[in-house]
Amino acid sequence: MLVRTCCNKFISAVKSSVEYRIICKKSDFTKNIYNVNRRNFNKLEARHFQFFKDILGGERMITDQEEMRSYNEEWMRCVKGISSMALKPKTTEEVSKILKFCNDNNLAVCPYGGNTGLVGGAIPVFDEIVLSAELMNEILNVDENSGVVVCQAGCILENLDNKVAEIGLMIPLDLGAKGSCHIGGNVATNAGGLKLFRYGNLHGNVLGLEVVLADGTVLDCMSSFKKDNTGYHLKNIFIGSEGTLGFITKVALQCPPRANSITLAFLGLQNFERVLRTFKKAKQDLGEILSAFEVLDTPTMEFVNERLKMNSPIGDFPYYLLIETSGSNEEHDSDKLHQFLESCMEKELVLDGTVATEPHKINAIWSIREKIPDVFKDCGYLFCYDVSLPLENYYVLVDDMTQHMGKLAKKVFGFGHMGDSNLHLQVEVDEFTREIKNHIEPFIFERTKQLNGSISAEHGMGFLKARYLNLARPYNTVKAMENLKKLFDPSGIMNPYKVLPW
Ligand code: FAD
Ligand code: ZN
């Protein structure tokens, strides 16, 4: 058993939400599509432009309309703003001066990282000033003893990973967007990705942050220790705050050693009950070397076949698992995985499988999972959701949506980071209509709630989901969030219309 492989390299792209279709079709501005009212911020005047020019010089103050397009549109064109200026500071001091001035002059600001977010958080809704971290890209220190890297917020994730790789470390975060996204954007969205299962989320791995508040105050929470209980853990409030509480300028991140033995299994299973039992067994049998546990269903594999012209390397099964191990001893890790797989087959949990140990074969198998979102934008109409669910309900939502959609959908399919209880659920239809959209939403969110899930697992609320916050969280919790916002940003200039309901 178990040694077949497949081809191709990987990359990925994820896309969410039907709103993309509406906007792309009409090519209209977010404010018009969603009927948002502009808050009472001041408009830019000549004296404002002069102030920013004095701080940054002409080159780091973008006002050219053509150049502004990339700051006004999301990579998938889900949302579209009308900002007339983007600022590109290089230092914390410059960020502080800019924000103080904006606060004093009641000018709204939209923090901008790598613009790979999927919920419209980094794009202005109206004429907010875009504050970009792209020139804040210095790696300030890599401590070989502790494995802590300290850098500016605009460092690109992949560059950081390459840098720490030089001394045998890795960044404990891996996304398909790693070639473009910033570490500051990752922290601002509390990004998840493929390594979260093994290394945990950024609340654990980010040891310190430097943040500039709306009034220009520099908040130094730059600890480099895992243990530092000196008062409230303020940095955690900014992790996942999506630019609404302050602008992140520096990050201290704990980097684990880079694994030198990686193995990937691709398995076929009969039903979801066995998928669940295999997950429990994998945690038990593989222990510390288990590094990823991803699931795909049959409609997803059909989608992969049709759209990507890639086949399952093991034939057709109702469910597929990708189980990755990573550790430091190839023989030990490989023995452990093979023992686990043999035991799974004896117990008839797994029907067939293939294992890859060579990097190009591992990448080839990962590409089956990673390339799925690449072709989302080529589909007729695809409604995409990113939810967390208790594992006993993990696949219930896909079954419910399939039934709920009936003949309205061409295909309903589910895949995701099962190890983290995170499901990506897609509904493919022939063409977008408001009736279909209303048939899906809010049903899908309400059902997710009934199943004790979360309506946003790893992509955040941004602009596109902000109006569902009241559905996701109890009244008092939303109130506490609003009070926190008032505390850090009393005038509400930081990324308005995002996260909190508008
Ligand atoms: P942006 O998109 O620029 O901004 C995102 C939000 O953060 C905005 O609200 C913005 O205002 C705010 N922000 C940005 N920089 C700062 C700053 N310095 N200070 C304060 N606020 C700031 N996400 C996952 O969680 N897991 C995945 O596996 C994953 N895979 C992806 C794959 C692809 C191909 C793509 C395109 C996206 C994927 N994403 C994933 C979504 C996205 O990459 C992440 O949300 C990422 O963390 C965003 O980083 P960014 O620098 O591009 O931020
Ligand atoms: Zn994901």
Side-chain angles (χ1 to χ4, degrees):
M1 73 156 198
L2 299 171
V3 181
R4 279 174 256 156
T5 41
C6 55
C7 49
N8 277 334
K9 281 186 67 190
F10 79 94
I11 262 210
S12 90
V14 180
K15 194 47 242 140
S16 75
S17 182
V18 67
E19 277 78 21
Y20 159 61
R21 307 295 174 194
I22 314 168
I23 289 171
C24 279
K25 221 174 168 186
K26 295 189 176 172
S27 189
D28 203 348
F29 296 103
T30 311
K31 68 184 176 69
N32 298 340
I33 303 287
Y34 293 94
N35 213 6
V36 194
N37 290 323
R38 186 180 181 280
R39 291 190 196 145
N40 200 19
F41 299 112
N42 286 334
K43 299 207 165 174
L44 277 169
E45 298 169 13
R47 66 185 181 90
H48 301 138
F49 284 103
Q50 191 55 51
F51 176 85
F52 297 123
K53 197 169 180 184
D54 289 346
I55 299 181
L56 301 177
E59 280 184 7
R60 292 193 282 132
M61 180 181 103
I62 311 299
T63 51
D64 176 72
Q65 274 211 330
E66 195 48 38
E67 266 189 87
M68 282 306 295
R69 278 183 61 171
S70 57
Y71 298 102
N72 274 316
E73 278 188 37
E74 199 193 27
W75 69 286
M76 285 287 281
R77 299 186 184 146
C78 289
V79 285
K80 193 168 170 183
I82 52 167
S83 175
S84 55
M85 183 167 72
L87 302 175
K88 302 203 273 187
K90 284 184 174 171
T91 64
T92 303
E93 292 67 34
E94 287 176 350
V95 173
S96 169
K97 280 183 194 161
I98 291 166
L99 286 182
K100 181 176 180 346
F101 183 81
C102 290
N103 198 50
D104 291 347
N105 288 276
N106 193 31
L107 298 169
V109 175
C110 178
Y112 182 95
N115 189 12
T116 68
L118 297 166
V119 284
I123 302 299
V125 176
F126 290 93
D127 54 350
E128 298 88 279
I129 296 169
V130 175
L131 187 56
S132 167
E134 66 203 279
L135 298 182
M136 303 186 71
N137 53 12
E138 247 188 277
I139 298 174
L140 301 168
N141 189 39
V142 185
D143 185 327
E144 291 199 32
N145 294 323
S146 63
V148 176
V149 61
V150 178
C151 64
Q152 283 188 301
C155 288
I156 289 176
L157 183 62
E158 191 166 39
N159 295 349
L160 265 187
D161 193 50
N162 289 340
K163 180 69 185 172
V164 300
E166 289 170 12
I167 54 165
L169 300 176
M170 59 178 278
I171 300 293
L173 175 71
D174 188 12
L175 319 178
K178 65 183 164 209
S180 311
C181 64
H182 294 179
I183 190 67
N186 300 147
V187 173
T189 54
N190 190 20
L194 299 163
K195 296 213 156 60
L196 188 141
F197 177 70
R198 172 68 170 273
Y199 298 102
N201 73 23
L202 289 174
H203 282 279
N205 295 314
V206 171
L207 303 183
L209 286 183
E210 180 187 77
V211 182
V212 181
L213 300 183
D215 67 358
T217 304
V218 179
L219 218 56
D220 181 349
C221 310
M222 281 300 286
S223 176
S224 289
F225 296 115
K226 274 189 173 171
K227 293 186 170 183
D228 187 353
N229 285 344
T230 45
Y232 305 132
H233 289 218
L234 290 180
K235 55 117 181 154
N236 282 332
I237 286 170
F238 297 95
I239 300 175
S241 64
E242 301 182 60
T244 60
L245 299 180
F247 191 88
I248 297 163
T249 45
K250 283 183 197 153
V251 180
L253 194 66
Q254 178 74 60
C255 303
R258 224 173 175 84
N260 51 22
S261 131
I262 296 180
T263 315
L264 182 65
F266 188 91
L267 311 174
L269 292 88
Q270 187 59 47
N271 57 39
F272 194 76
E273 185 261 334
R274 288 181 199 186
V275 168
L276 203 48
R277 279 168 57 202
T278 305
F279 178 53
K280 284 190 245 172
K281 187 168 170 53
K283 285 194 290 183
Q284 190 70 40
D285 292 7
L286 298 171
E288 80 291 351
I289 63 166
L290 180 59
S291 55
F293 195 99
E294 300 276 324
V295 68
L296 276 69
D297 64 6
T298 296
T300 302
M301 190 55 80
E302 285 168 4
F303 182 84
V304 168
N305 293 344
E306 286 160 20
R307 303 272 168 180
L308 288 161
K309 309 292 175 223
M310 292 165 76
N311 295 315
S312 151
I314 54 168
D316 297 336
F317 295 93
Y319 293 90
Y320 305 89
L321 288 177
L322 281 96
I323 301 181
E324 188 197 72
T325 66
S326 51
S328 56
N329 184 322
E330 203 175 319
E331 208 183 319
H332 161 270
D333 298 352
S334 167
D335 281 355
K336 221 168 168 178
L337 181 66
H338 278 91
Q339 274 173 29
F340 159 73
L341 292 173
E342 268 160 30
S343 166
C344 284
M345 294 192 85
E346 269 166 27
K347 292 183 190 313
E348 295 184 348
L349 290 176
V350 169
L351 299 176
D352 199 2
T354 178
V355 173
T357 49
E358 295 160 47
H360 74 280
K361 290 180 181 167
I362 290 173
N363 286 348
I365 294 184
W366 264 123
S367 72
I368 294 173
R369 159 69 180 85
E370 287 271 10
K371 271 182 167 282
I372 296 168
D374 277 6
V375 284
F376 280 3
K377 56 184 183 302
D378 306 330
C379 297
Y381 284 94
L382 202 63
F383 295 71
C384 304
Y385 300 93
D386 162 46
V387 299
S388 280
L389 288 159
L391 285 178
E392 66 273 19
N393 294 337
Y394 187 85
Y395 206 73
V396 173
L397 190 67
V398 186
D399 286 336
D400 283 0
M401 279 311 291
T402 309
Q403 203 185 0
H404 180 71
M405 293 307 295
K407 291 202 165 96
L408 279 176
K410 260 172 95 174
K411 198 186 281 295
V412 176
F413 59 103
F415 64 91
H417 317 290
M418 187 183 150
D420 307 321
S421 299
N422 179 186
L423 171 75
H424 296 313
L425 171 62
Q426 281 63 232
V427 181
E428 188 184 6
V429 296
D430 283 325
E431 60 175 343
F432 170 80
T433 65
R434 284 192 186 274
E435 290 69 34
I436 295 181
K437 178 186 187 292
N438 293 340
H439 190 69
I440 298 175
E441 296 176 20
F443 173 85
I444 187 160
F445 299 126
E446 287 168 355
R447 191 68 190 117
T448 301
K449 277 285 287 176
Q450 283 165 2
L451 293 169
N452 297 319
S454 162
I455 66 167
S456 176
E458 58 178 9
H459 298 157
M461 303 302 281
F463 171 79
L464 292 174
K465 286 189 189 163
R467 68 213 136 119
Y468 296 114
L469 186 68
N470 285 319
L471 186 69
R473 298 294 189 117
Y475 175 83
N476 286 343
T477 309
V478 176
K479 267 275 158 268
M481 289 186 200
E482 286 170 351
N483 288 338
L484 199 65
K485 168 81 176 167
K486 280 184 198 141
L487 181 71
F488 285 109
D489 178 19
S491 312
I493 63 159
M494 294 301 296
N495 224 4
Y497 325 104
K498 315 286 171 61
V499 181
L500 297 169
W502 32 268

